[in-house]
Amino acid sequence: MKKAQSYKKANLPESWDAIIIGSGIGGLTPAAFLARKGQRVLVLEKHSTAGGCTQTYTRKGYEWDAGLHYVGEVHRPGGTMRKIFDHITDGRLEWAPMPEVYNRIVIGNRFYEHVAGMERFKKRIKEYFPSEQAAIDKYMDLVMDVTRAGKTFFAQQALPGDIDDELYTKMSGQFHTFSCRTARGVLREITDNDELIAVLCGNCGDYVSTPGRVSFAMQAMLTRHYLDGANFPIGGAGRIAETIGEVIGSAGGSILVDAEVASILVKDGKACGVSMKEGGEFRAPIIISDAGLRNTILRLLPSDLGQVVGLPDQCRGMELSDTYAVLNIGVRESNKTLGLDPANLWVHPGSDIDGNVDAYEKDPMNTPMPIHFISVPSAKDPTWEDRFPGRTTIDVCSLTTWSIFEPFAGTQWKQRGHEYEELKKKISHEMLSQVLRFYPNLEGKIDYMELATPLSFNHFLGREQGEIMSLAHTPERYQKRWLRAISPIPNLYLSGQDVTSGGIVGAIGGGVAAVSAVLGKNVVQDLR
């Protein structure tokens, strides 16, 4: 494989067939599609490691995945998501299925299981709530309705901006009947059982919002995505960028790290290249930005041009997703002896998820964190024991609030001061206590811990308030007709989760929309 090079050491030509800003999966996906068409693609990554939220990092002999914890649908060779991954990695990426029970939802001290398989899922939920069978059936029917409607809605996002109103309504209308309402609003119409709603929406952290704020379409799409179970990349999430990098390199393309784009170059009203923060320029007739909608419009486009197309004000008005902290834990003992479960834990203090979050946001220093996600990645990867014998890793993602980190927003990474370090200790202790609550056999065995705060996401992902998934998946978001892969600037395309939906799969969907717009065809239809 031709590994990613540092921009400072690279000696590359100025002209390329396409330039991708950002090496997250939303940037790597269109890069690989174009490379498979024989195009020389340059991928520019501002940080020292490629992959965005799919990258891994190591400390003290441990490895953690930055943002990938599980993925649905890829275990089915004939499924669309598996076809896409096989195409962009040339079939080199392999997947390990998680157990039949892939999520456990904890409400107070009560446990509920999310089980792979639609009929098994329905049966298990009905066993928990025998008087709610009609509501559960209705919910699953709505999930499938949204999935079907979503296909044409997301397809229109790759069509030219002058698409007429009639075609737009035809392709989006059915989806909007679901997307314009909140998950909690729809669910309350089919059941008044708050515990059932909490169980169905228990993994709401996957879209980084709450049932009362998120579009029902997003909740339904998430449920459908995992109905057949969950999977984990064999060899860790780092294999994603590694295998895609091989595809890009084989066509003469390159991935550059430490390569921060200062601005998008525009000539005669058309995007034509990028200027680099460290100096120098690259040129291409196709520019695809995976830097996020707000970063692209508010930071990378010339300000006068941004005002002309009218997007800056619209971008500023978009609601941001919620804020999380991530605690990475290392244990110097094999999972074989510890016996930790590969299934994820989603932990809530009570069934009123929105109420729990609201109470925390009002008084975060004196109220327990309202949502915890606990994952054991070392138990999901069958190659882990060979790569890191005698070691176990645990990830804890917990909802927090930007308000307690905002006072440190002007500080530098690793130089934020004593008060900030004390805040990190407090949060780390609370998050670790949740791990020990469910895995008491880890008491006294923790070898290493490192906390990533919202400021870490600002630094590494270019966020503003630690919003892991950038734009929030509100009902209002899906009403924004201008939020699409084709930008108002000719030759400039938008990719990633801001175009479609959040998470790894959402970012891939954004990448597919971007490359479909570039090539003028639905690229998924060509996959075998």
Side-chain angles (χ1 to χ4, degrees), residues 360 362-368 401 404 422-423 426-427 430:
Y360 173 76
K362 290 176 182 176
D363 188 12
M365 298 306 293
N366 298 296
T367 306
T401 177
I404 62 176
E422 290 300 308
L423 176 60
K426 177 184 183 299
I427 292 174
E430 181 175 355

Side-chain angles (χ1 to χ4, degrees), residues 12 23 61 110 128-129 297 344 355 374 378 386 428 431 458 462 515:
L12 296 174
S23 72
R110 302 174 297 282
Y128 297 133
F129 302 96
I297 302 302
N344 306 309
I374 302 174
S378 57
D386 293 333
S428 297
M431 295 169 72
N458 287 0
V515 74

Side-chain angles (χ1 to χ4, degrees), residues 69 115 130 170 254 334 472 509:
H69 300 104
V115 183
K170 182 178 180 180
S254 186
S334 171

Side-chain angles (χ1 to χ4, degrees), residues 292-366:
L293 178 72
R294 291 169 65 91
N295 281 331
T296 303
I297 302 302
L298 301 179
R299 300 181 186 178
L300 298 181
L301 272 184
S303 58
D304 57 340
L305 183 60
Q307 292 299 332
V308 169
V309 298
L311 287 184
D313 289 341
Q314 295 190 69
C315 287
R316 294 187 184 98
M318 296 291 287
E319 185 176 333
L320 301 179
S321 59
D322 288 341
T323 302
Y324 274 68
V326 178
L327 182 66
N328 297 124
I329 299 172
V331 181
R332 195 181 290 271
E333 188 172 332
S334 171
N335 193 68
K336 291 182 178 180
T337 58
L338 292 172
L340 304 188
D341 195 333
N344 306 309
L345 289 173
W346 290 95
V347 185
H348 306 269
S351 60
D352 184 0
I353 296 177
D354 283 273
N356 299 333
V357 173
D358 290 344
Y360 173 76
E361 289 178 343
K362 290 176 182 176
D363 188 12
M365 298 306 293
N366 298 296

